[in-house]
Amino acid sequence: MSTQQAEWHQALIEKYNYAGPRYTSYPTALSFQERFSEADYLHAVEQYPERNLSLYVHIPFCHQLCYFCGCNKQVTRQPQKADRYLEALTLEIRQRAPMFQGRRVTQLHLGGGTPTFLTKNQLSRLIEQLRRQFSFSADIEMSIEIDPRELASGMIEHLWLLGFTRLSIGIQDFDPAVQQRINRIQDESSIEQLMREARSVGFRSVSFDLIYGLPLQTPESFAATLAKVISLAPDRLSVFNYAHLPELFAAQRKIKSHELPSAGQKLVILQQSIATLTAAGYCYIGMDHFALPQDELAVAQREGRLHRNFQGYTTQGECDLLGLGVSAISSLGESHAQNHKVLNTWYSCLENQGSGLWRGVTLNDDDCLRRDVIKQLICHFRLDFSAIEARWPIDFCRYFAEDLALLAPLVADGLVTLDDEGLKVTSAGRLLIRNICMCFDRYARRTAQLQQCSRVI
């Protein structure tokens, strides 16, 4: 159970603000191997047949290019391009679904790209196909990411009638100058109207995505964005750090480096964001996530039930996660698996070989143990050694002697307290939880992997 908020310590943040994984999985995707086969995938599916199922469906299409974006996407104004994609997706659904007969689907998330690129008819066909092939729970949680700039009339009500219960809206920033620089211009009044419509039809949860570190952002301009966000009262918020990697993402080359806020300004923006949102009543869940106290994420964290997977923080941690579509990642049994990231390759493999599988990893016992440790830390900011020892035949301090030695400087700096019973992340350490988790990550000791990660703040 964790109710403590984060505490800002400038010197410590500057000291520890180096690259590290986000831990949506352990091992992370950087450890996935192409030798992971369809036979490995089937074995993973069969490990825990009693588990419920969470579905993630990737829709890669967008109407417009956002210059900051590093997602797997296809920018097009031609809705018919989605027809071929949906045909291939239907093929994958029909190929995968028989493996999960008898399992209940308790969660569905459509991400992208922009899932609402699909027309109402296309979305209806997709959901109908999923419902036909899988066994949906009566109280299933269904969420979808939407782009408020390109939303068909009546789409919100249509989503509700299809069974969606949660909306995730990409805001990024309300400042017109910033929007212009990132090629994502959207009218504030349209967001207000969208929120009114979502609440009126019955959506029980709406989340906003914001990004700090974008061109022309200042602490003052982002404070104005936060004020507008708070007035709209979303249930959840993600405040992401913009990582400028133009060598990896071609679209980011359209962003002028000299217009980006400095490292110091970014830290000020983050600091004031945490202070502003917590003062407004939001709970700091961890990493870049905030939620109102009555939201299911906040409740799950207080009750010790919070989990983390490829979709971020979740209340559905005891499910297997099945990813469908190009680049989608699954977490099944003691394995992770990912589909091909290149659309035409995914099409070809799916149509010619019956599977879009690209790579994955099968966890050994050490991986599973460390996954448990990291999940407890990143979700609940504490670790009970006896609880780990009850699940695993180890003496914690002896098994993790090298890891605890790596943790010692963080203990000395007041980020963690350590005694014979366990460790607790302090309020100063919550913002640096990724650094703390890295002490228990044997793969993170390979510096080549860390070079592909963003800074922790």
Side-chain angles (χ1 to χ4, degrees):
M1 178 170 148
S2 177
T3 58
Q4 187 182 48
Q5 294 299 323
E7 184 178 337
W8 191 272
H9 280 265
Q10 184 77 19
L12 292 176
I13 287 170
E14 291 177 358
K15 177 178 179 179
Y16 288 101
N17 191 19
Y18 46 77
R22 296 182 59 80
Y23 294 113
T24 51
S25 73
Y26 183 83
T28 70
L30 296 173
S31 297
F32 291 7
Q33 302 290 327
E34 291 187 41
R35 64 173 178 264
F36 186 89
S37 67
E38 189 68 21
D40 295 324
Y41 185 99
L42 183 59
H43 174 71
V45 171
E46 294 173 342
Q47 277 188 288
Y48 302 105
E50 74 285 355
R51 282 184 180 172
N52 290 333
L53 200 60
S54 175
L55 300 180
Y56 171 78
V57 182
H58 189 79
I59 307 297
F61 303 104
C62 294
H63 290 100
Q64 298 179 47
L65 178 66
C66 297
Y67 295 162
F68 61 83
C69 185
C71 297
N72 187 293
K73 61 191 177 297
Q74 296 279 318
V75 179
T76 178
R77 305 295 300 186
Q78 303 174 45
Q80 66 271 20
K81 282 198 171 182
D83 286 328
R84 184 191 176 192
Y85 186 77
L86 291 175
E87 288 176 8
L89 195 55
T90 297
L91 180 63
E92 184 176 38
I93 291 168
R94 290 175 177 170
Q95 189 260 353
R96 293 302 189 201
M99 302 179 180
F100 299 93
Q101 290 301 307
R103 299 218 208 178
R104 289 191 320 137
V105 177
T106 57
Q107 186 179 52
L108 167 67
H109 180 73
L110 267 59
T114 305
T116 49
F117 176 94
L118 302 181
T119 65
K120 294 178 188 175
N121 286 338
Q122 287 171 333
L123 277 166
S124 294
R125 294 204 317 266
L126 173 59
I127 299 304
E128 180 184 356
Q129 185 64 227
L130 289 167
R131 287 187 179 275
R132 183 182 300 129
Q133 298 295 329
F134 293 96
S135 178
F136 277 30
S137 171
D139 60 350
I140 184 173
E141 174 189 301
M142 292 174 56
S143 58
I144 184 170
E145 299 168 13
I146 66 176
D147 181 347
R149 301 170 300 166
E150 300 274 357
L151 207 60
S153 176
M155 179 61 85
I156 296 298
E157 183 177 8
H158 185 70
L159 293 173
W160 173 255
L161 293 174
L162 286 177
F164 286 93
T165 56
R166 297 184 181 276
L167 298 177
S168 178
I169 305 173
I171 303 293
Q172 321 317 341
D173 195 303
F174 274 124
D175 187 276
V178 176
Q179 291 182 0
Q180 191 274 333
R181 287 298 198 274
I182 62 174
N183 199 38
R184 191 182 177 92
I185 298 171
Q186 53 195 8
D187 181 48
E188 182 183 334
S189 62
S190 67
I191 307 295
E192 295 173 354
Q193 173 59 32
L194 194 159
M195 288 291 287
R196 285 194 295 270
E197 189 176 353
R199 298 302 191 192
S200 68
V201 300
F203 277 93
R204 70 170 187 252
S205 179
V206 179
S207 65
F208 283 1
D209 288 344
L210 304 176
I211 298 179
Y212 70 96
L214 295 174
L216 300 188
Q217 274 182 345
T218 66
E220 293 75 22
S221 72
F222 203 70
T225 285
L226 287 175
K228 293 172 183 175
V229 165
I230 289 167
S231 72
L232 294 169
D235 303 271
R236 297 179 187 176
L237 276 164
S238 296
V239 186
F240 296 112
N241 168 30
Y242 171 63
H244 190 56
L245 300 168
E247 64 279 7
L248 294 181
F249 306 113
Q252 293 187 359
R253 295 168 198 162
K254 296 179 179 293
I255 290 177
K256 299 174 182 177
S257 298
H258 71 270
E259 292 187 339
L260 296 172
S262 67
Q265 285 178 309
K266 284 181 71 172
L267 289 179
V268 172
I269 292 172
L270 177 60
Q271 181 182 16
Q272 73 175 19
S273 298
I274 294 170
T276 300
L277 291 172
T278 52
Y282 286 88
C283 299
Y284 177 64
I285 301 298
M287 300 279 289
D288 30 42
H289 283 61
F290 299 81
L292 291 174
Q294 66 271 25
D295 184 87
E296 290 180 8
L297 280 186
V299 173
Q301 189 173 60
R302 288 196 298 271
E303 295 179 353
R305 298 183 290 102
L306 190 66
H307 294 267
R308 188 166 172 81
N309 62 19
F310 292 106
Q311 298 175 41
Y313 287 104
T314 177
T315 59
Q316 305 262 349
E318 298 306 320
C319 295
D320 270 352
L321 171 64
L322 170 62
L324 299 164
V326 63
S327 76
I329 299 178
S330 302
S331 184
L332 304 166
E334 308 299 0
S335 296
H336 306 310
Q338 183 175 22
N339 283 346
H340 281 283
K341 294 176 72 173
V342 178
L343 185 58
N344 284 336
T345 305
W346 179 73
Y347 280 145
S348 176
C349 290
L350 190 60
E351 292 162 1
N352 296 323
Q353 302 170 21
S355 166
L357 179 65
W358 172 32
R359 60 180 187 167
V361 61
T362 298
L363 280 65
N364 58 33
D365 286 346
D366 180 73
D367 293 332
C368 293
L369 168 56
R370 291 174 184 275
R371 178 189 59 187
D372 282 0
V373 168
I374 288 171
K375 185 181 75 172
Q376 283 297 313
L377 286 170
I378 207 162
C379 289
H380 303 293
F381 301 99
R382 61 180 298 162
L383 192 65
D384 184 338
F385 294 166
S386 64
I388 296 294
E389 291 169 343
R391 293 195 298 270
W392 296 92
I394 64 164
D395 177 295
F396 189 97
C397 292
R398 183 174 296 127
Y399 189 94
F400 287 106
E402 181 181 349
D403 310 86
L404 292 172
L406 292 173
L407 191 68
L410 286 74
V411 174
D413 280 335
L415 303 181
V416 186
T417 62
L418 175 67
D419 58 29
D420 292 340
E421 296 183 355
L423 60 89
K424 294 180 182 178
V425 179
T426 66
S427 57
R430 285 176 65 114
L431 289 170
L432 297 164
I433 187 62
R434 289 160 71 178
N435 305 73
I436 296 166
C437 291
M438 284 168 65
C439 295
F440 295 92
D441 179 352
R442 64 185 178 91
Y443 299 97
R445 293 159 205 175
R446 303 172 186 172
T447 55
Q449 279 204 358
L450 293 184
Q451 290 171 1
Q452 302 178 60
C453 299
S454 62
R455 287 178 180 267
V456 300
I457 299 291

